Amino acid sequence: DTGVSQDPRHKITKRGQNVTFRCDPISEHNRLYWYRQTLGQGPEFLTYFQNEAQLEKSRLLSDRFSAERPKGSFSTLEIQRTEQGDSAMYLCASSLEGTGRFYTFGSGTRLTVV
Amino acid sequence: DAKTTQPTSMDCAEGRAANLPCNHSTISGNEYVYWYRQIHSQGPQYIIHGLKNNETNEMASLIITEDRKSSTLILPHATLRDTAVYYCIVRVGGGADGLTFGKGTHLIIQP
């Protein structure tokens, strides 16, 4: 396990459809984060998990967004009824509690809503 | 969160040292300075962090002023692969909440 894996790398969907992204963190990392990045901007924090518990959600995470980490390992981010404004790169990061803010990011999932 | 100010973009010649400044005049005593970079189409990558002493690792050096109100990331011998957006972030060292990224500095290494 050499890094954080995200699947798919690219997703094109029609407005109104639901999409789900998957993140596989580094196996020993107990913290997992989701970020969103739009063109020309830095990543914006969405939510994070410690083990299977979702401990914080940004106000950016509308009720159309839901994230899970059922067994404290991989995580999914679902967007329901997608809108064109949801088009962005969705990044996942993981870290090990006690190691400060040394996060390892995945390469992201690029979502395009048409 | 303490806020940071970085130039929007910078150029540097290949093989020269790239010096990226960051202002963080409202930094608190327990806040660290972190640097990440993001190469096109990839996720951000951790580079280095420090509290008040200068730090060096295999990627870069971090120079923090004595009053801690600003810092400089130094890439000693820039290569074309160092072309990326560099983010300076100030946060408490521990804790689990997410990082707050600004727009960063787009560093372009010229051949």
Side-chain angles (χ1 to χ4, degrees):
Chain A
D1 190 341
T2 58
V4 177
S5 298
Q6 292 191 245
D7 183 69
R9 288 296 310 274
H10 303 275
K11 177 71 176 179
I12 300 174
T13 191
K14 291 184 178 179
R15 190 173 48 189
Q17 297 294 306
N18 300 342
V19 294
T20 299
F21 311 138
R22 177 179 171 123
C23 171
D24 286 272
I26 292 174
S27 57
E28 62 267 28
H29 285 186
N30 61 338
R31 289 180 175 163
L32 185 148
Y33 301 79
W34 285 99
Y35 288 79
R36 180 176 71 185
Q37 185 173 26
T38 54
L39 200 61
Q41 304 294 317
E44 298 171 292
F45 169 75
L46 292 178
T47 188
Y48 91 89
F49 292 83
Q50 180 152 316
N51 301 311
E52 66 275 10
Q54 187 173 16
L55 297 185
E56 186 174 346
K57 293 193 284 188
S58 162
R59 63 180 183 275
L60 294 174
L61 209 67
S62 76
D63 55 7
R64 296 184 298 106
F65 288 67
S66 63
E68 294 183 344
R69 194 183 184 198
K71 297 183 180 179
S73 58
F74 73 91
S75 176
T76 58
L77 177 68
E78 180 183 17
I79 309 174
Q80 296 182 327
R81 306 180 303 281
T82 52
E83 302 172 356
Q84 286 189 320
D86 297 331
S87 294
M89 175 76 83
Y90 290 84
L91 292 159
C92 176
S94 69
S95 72
L96 182 63
E97 183 179 0
T99 59
R101 298 191 183 275
F102 179 82
Y103 300 156
T104 301
F105 282 81
S107 294
T109 294
R110 165 88 49 201
L111 173 67
T112 303
V113 181
V114 298
Chain B
D1 294 351
K3 294 183 178 176
T4 63
T5 304
Q6 298 179 254
T8 302
S9 64
M10 294 180 62
D11 288 350
C12 179
E14 187 178 19
R16 306 296 295 268
N19 296 278
L20 290 89
C22 179
N23 287 323
H24 33 78
S25 59
T26 60
I27 191 171
S28 299
N30 62 346
E31 289 181 317
Y32 286 70
V33 181
Y34 290 83
W35 283 85
Y36 278 74
R37 75 178 181 183
Q38 187 172 24
I39 295 170
H40 183 62
S41 296
Q42 297 182 22
Q45 175 192 24
Y46 167 84
I47 302 173
I48 198 167
H49 74 282
L51 183 62
K52 54 184 177 181
N53 296 323
N54 298 338
E55 301 289 344
T56 296
N57 63 19
E58 65 278 5
M59 289 182 69
S61 295
L62 174 60
I63 308 298
I64 302 174
T65 58
E66 192 170 343
D67 64 7
R68 301 209 322 124
K69 292 185 177 181
S70 65
S71 59
T72 301
L73 177 75
I74 301 172
L75 307 178
H77 304 288
T79 70
L80 298 178
R81 288 177 293 183
D82 292 321
T83 292
V85 178
Y86 287 76
Y87 298 99
C88 170
I89 300 164
V90 174
R91 290 303 298 268
V92 172
D97 50 327
L99 292 171
T100 301
F101 291 82
K103 293 188 177 182
T105 296
H106 187 194
L107 175 66
I108 299 171
I109 306 301
Q110 303 283 1

